[in-house]
Amino acid sequence: MGFMGDRSTLLETGRFVRADSDEVKAVDVAGQGPDARPADGAPTGAAAEAALADAVNEAVTDEAVSDAELEARYRPAAESGDPGAMSVLGALLLRRGDLDGAEPFLRAATGEGDRAAANNLGVLLLQRGYPEEAAGWWRVAAVAGSSPAAHALGRHYRERGDEPAAEYWLRQAAESGHALGAYALADLLEHRGDAGAERWLRAAAEQGHREAAYRLARRLRAKRPTEAEQWFRQSAARGHRRAALHLGSLLEARGELKEAGRWYLSAAKQGEARAACALGFLLRDAGDEEGAATWWLRAAEDGDGNAANALGALHAARGETETAERWYRAAMDAGDHNGAYNLGLLCAAQDRVPQAEQWYRRAAYAGHREAANALAILLLQAGDAAGAEPWFSKAAEAGSVDAAFNLGILFASRDEDRSALKWYERAAAAGHTDAALQVGIALVRDGEERAAERHLRCAAGGGSAEAAFRLASLLESLQPPPGPVGLGERAERTESEEWYERAAEQGHRRAQVRVGMLAATRGELGKAARWYREAAEAGSRNGAFNLGLLLAREGSEPEAALWWTRAAVAGHGRAALRLALLAARHGDLTEGQKWCARAMELGPESVAERAGKLREALAEEVSA
């Protein structure tokens, strides 16, 4: 029995790994998140960027007019001391990055009680490096009812670790209908594991916040997938590339490949490497290998190890081993342990065993279960069974079905049948066909026919010809003896015969002989001869013997002798006896004695006894 998994594939990878760890949660609710609209020259501080986006929007409401036109409109009034005009002009200059120009107008407007100016003054002061003074003006504006200022103040406190104060002000902003405030509050609550986070993510998402929609969809994906898809769509439609990636994966899993491809393409064009990789797989499956390679290359160059592995497999399949190795190394450098595993497979295929062991070992130490299985196989092939066993165990415990099966083989080779059965059963439960066969064989041996039948059916259904044959034998032994067949009637085909035929069609020689015998009992001699011949030509001595019997019965004695000779040479005692009788009938006493001796050697006992008597009779004839 061969060990499983040493060269199973040159690419062990998923299209798109949906691990939560690879999703970076936004720490900046506006400035660094995808919904931010910071001004040119905006500061790097999260709170400043968030507040600036809000402040300018609060002060400047006429977005259809250019900044230059607005400045020309408001500057005369501002210079005349109009508080509203000073607030708008200060916001415009702040957005442009002209802090010196903006500050006098903002301070003057703030002195007149303009809350938008107070908010913007806070932004300006933060940009100048005075966060505490900025917070003071945000507080003034927030108390006056400015939700953007409450949001900025909440962000300020959160960055300083004062979560109670942060929650208070963010809640003020959120409850006043401020989308960024709702999102920031949800982020804070989610960080604390508070179930209320979903409510505020939903509130922000319903106001069009694309990052909130994305994160809400992530939360809902397992429990409410239909609703999650709607939020992914909303976020993706607003240009969120990770939402487009997840939406594409949902659609692909549902078989809607065309639309999935559109969303993957959208995300890939925005620089999402995993989407480019997934798009490559879609194109490959559609037969566009060159298109797939283009997107894999783009993703791999952006550091996607999965795409690098796919490129390696592509070049390996073309026989371009040096290029394949380069991409596998790139995958490994990107942190994808499949790269080391695939390098091991590549070296093993070239019989570079020491290098294969090196790469398998590297991937195995990193936790790659199939690499651990492959390493164990190499060690076992080198005669190091003691070194192989712990690697098989590690791989099997990590979920490798092949490794569980291989452990079964290892224990069976030591006659540790109980341990072998345990691992066979584990592999069989995971759908391993050969393991199910071994469990079935063991249960038949232990007399547990019904349990054995269940496992043999699984293995036979999985395509195992041996399992189909053994299942047929078991069913035949369990079925009642056939009743008498009336005149002109034909015996009905049993389920056991159907399984024999399935095994026979898969090339199982013993099944072919059995199908031939069943056909012969029904008088279907043509069918019987066909199956006997197929088995005989594949090396079955029983098939050759039975074919000879049919041919002799039909008068084709010379051809029958040819098949009996083939069977006798292969160790079939009855065939040797038939040849001895044939030679005796034709008067070739020496040839008859030779085949008698062969039949006596091969047996079984009844054949040996008959051959001995015939040999004595031939010897008397020779001496007479």
Side-chain angles (χ1 to χ4, degrees):
M1 190 183 304
F3 287 89
M4 305 291 289
D6 54 336
R7 298 185 185 179
S8 58
T9 177
L10 280 173
L11 177 65
E12 190 225 54
T13 183
R15 289 169 180 255
F16 161 44
V17 180
R18 302 182 184 88
D20 286 341
S21 60
D22 65 8
E23 294 296 340
V24 180
K25 290 186 178 180
V27 294
D28 167 23
V29 293
Q32 295 174 358
D35 290 304
R37 290 174 289 177
D40 295 338
T44 57
E49 294 184 11
L52 179 56
D54 282 339
V56 174
N57 290 338
E58 185 177 27
V60 182
T61 58
D62 191 354
E63 297 182 355
V65 182
S66 69
D67 282 2
E69 291 175 307
L70 286 170
E71 182 177 349
R73 179 189 303 174
Y74 287 103
R75 182 174 286 278
E79 290 176 346
S80 298
D82 182 277
M86 289 190 291
S87 179
V88 172
L89 182 59
L92 290 170
L93 295 172
L94 178 60
R95 183 159 65 184
R96 187 188 301 165
D98 184 359
L99 304 188
D100 291 336
E103 186 169 355
F105 291 109
L106 292 175
R107 284 191 180 276
T110 299
E112 296 293 331
D114 189 291
R115 73 180 189 186
N119 186 20
N120 287 343
L121 182 57
V123 174
L124 185 146
L125 289 168
L126 185 62
Q127 291 188 14
R128 288 196 184 279
Y130 303 111
E132 297 307 323
E133 189 178 351
W137 289 111
W138 283 330
R139 181 183 294 274
V140 168
V143 169
S146 172
S147 55
H151 166 238
L153 189 58
R155 292 293 302 155
H156 169 81
Y157 282 121
R158 185 172 181 194
E159 287 174 0
R160 276 147 185 76
D162 188 347
E163 290 196 0
E167 181 179 350
Y168 175 82
W169 289 109
L170 291 175
R171 196 174 288 278
Q172 293 293 316
E175 289 177 349
S176 66
H178 190 266
L180 293 178
Y183 177 72
L185 178 60
D187 187 71
L188 176 62
L189 295 175
E190 190 172 61
H191 172 72
R192 293 208 307 244
D194 192 315
E198 184 177 320
R199 171 196 169 190
W200 292 111
L201 278 177
R202 188 181 297 278
E206 287 172 348
Q207 295 180 70
H209 193 292
R210 69 182 189 186
E211 182 70 19
Y214 169 68
R215 286 174 65 175
L216 178 60
R218 291 288 305 276
R219 290 175 67 96
L220 297 174
R221 182 166 187 164
K223 54 185 179 181
R224 294 200 289 277
T226 303
E227 185 182 357
E229 182 181 337
Q230 293 171 355
W231 290 115
F232 276 136
R233 283 187 181 279
Q234 177 174 306
S235 182
R238 290 178 173 269
H240 195 294
R241 68 188 191 187
R242 290 200 302 274
L245 169 66
H246 281 266
L247 180 57
S249 73
L250 282 174
L251 293 165
E252 182 183 2
R254 213 160 56 212
E256 299 176 27
L257 304 185
K258 190 173 181 179
E259 189 180 358
R262 286 200 301 270
W263 287 111
Y264 283 149
L265 179 60
S266 172
K269 285 181 175 179
Q270 295 178 70
E272 180 58 58
R274 289 172 299 168
C277 180
L279 181 58
F281 280 110
L282 275 188
L283 291 169
R284 183 202 63 179
D285 292 349
D288 185 359
E289 194 172 90
E290 292 307 315
T294 298
W295 286 104
W296 283 335
L297 178 60
R298 183 165 172 174
E301 288 176 342
D302 285 341
D304 189 281
N306 197 14
N309 267 317
L311 280 173
L314 182 65
H315 288 289
R318 295 173 177 173
E320 300 165 359
T321 55
E322 290 185 9
T323 306
E325 185 169 338
R326 177 167 61 84
W327 283 114
Y328 287 148
R329 286 180 183 274
M332 188 174 59
D333 293 341
D336 191 323
H337 303 309
N338 281 332
Y341 172 59
N342 289 338
L343 276 170
L345 290 171
L346 194 65
C347 292
Q350 298 170 329
D351 292 323
R352 294 157 56 195
V353 177
Q355 292 91 335
E357 181 180 341
Q358 169 196 346
W359 295 117
Y360 286 151
R361 197 175 290 277
R362 177 166 177 169
Y365 274 119
H368 195 294
R369 66 191 188 191
E370 297 308 329
N373 180 54
L375 174 61
I377 290 171
L378 276 190
L379 294 171
L380 199 62
Q381 290 170 341
D384 185 5
E389 183 179 339
W391 286 111
F392 276 140
S393 295
K394 184 175 181 179
E397 294 293 354
S400 171
V401 180
D402 282 345
F405 176 68
N406 291 342
L407 268 177
I409 297 175
L410 190 63
F411 284 117
S413 69
R414 300 173 183 168
D415 294 326
E416 299 177 31
D417 293 339
R418 186 175 297 276
S419 296
L421 182 58
K422 180 189 79 169
W423 288 107
Y424 284 146
E425 285 176 334
R426 180 179 292 197
H432 196 290
T433 298
D434 290 335
L437 169 62
Q438 295 303 317
V439 174
I441 292 172
L443 292 172
V444 168
R445 184 180 61 235
D446 295 342
E448 299 180 38
E449 287 90 355
R450 291 305 176 189
E453 180 184 339
R454 186 176 70 254
H455 282 92
L456 290 175
R457 283 186 184 279
C458 290
S464 170
E466 180 66 24
F469 172 74
R470 288 179 179 270
L471 174 61
S473 301
L474 178 62
L475 293 172
E476 190 174 32
S477 69
L478 295 175
Q479 68 190 24
V485 180
L487 186 64
E489 296 180 354
R490 296 183 63 179
E492 292 185 3
R493 277 164 47 89
T494 61
E495 187 187 1
S496 63
E497 187 171 353
E498 290 173 1
W499 284 110
Y500 278 133
E501 288 198 0
R502 181 179 295 194
E505 287 163 358
Q506 292 176 257
H508 194 285
R509 293 182 302 181
R510 292 168 66 195
Q512 289 168 341
V513 172
R514 186 63 185 147
V515 171
M517 293 172 66
L518 291 170
T521 59
R522 290 198 299 268
E524 299 173 2
L525 301 185
K527 180 178 179 180
R530 177 172 68 85
W531 284 114
Y532 287 152
R533 188 178 298 276
E534 197 158 325
E537 288 175 347
S540 168
R541 60 191 185 187
N542 284 331
F545 175 70
N546 289 354
L547 180 58
L549 290 177
L550 273 187
L551 291 168
R553 191 177 305 165
E554 293 173 355
S556 302
E557 200 170 73
E559 188 180 354
L562 292 175
W563 288 108
W564 284 336
T565 300
R566 181 181 290 194
V569 168
H572 199 289
R574 287 188 174 83
L577 179 58
R578 287 278 176 174
L579 288 169
L581 291 167
L582 191 61
R585 193 163 64 248
H586 291 164
D588 192 343
L589 305 184
T590 303
E591 183 74 4
Q593 286 181 306
K594 182 189 80 171
W595 285 115
C596 282
R598 179 65 173 161
M600 292 170 66
E601 176 189 343
L602 296 173
E605 185 176 348
S606 59
V607 169
E609 183 179 346
R610 289 180 61 195
K613 291 178 180 178
L614 178 59
R615 186 182 185 188
E616 290 175 4
L618 293 175
E620 290 177 5
E621 285 292 325
V622 169
S623 60

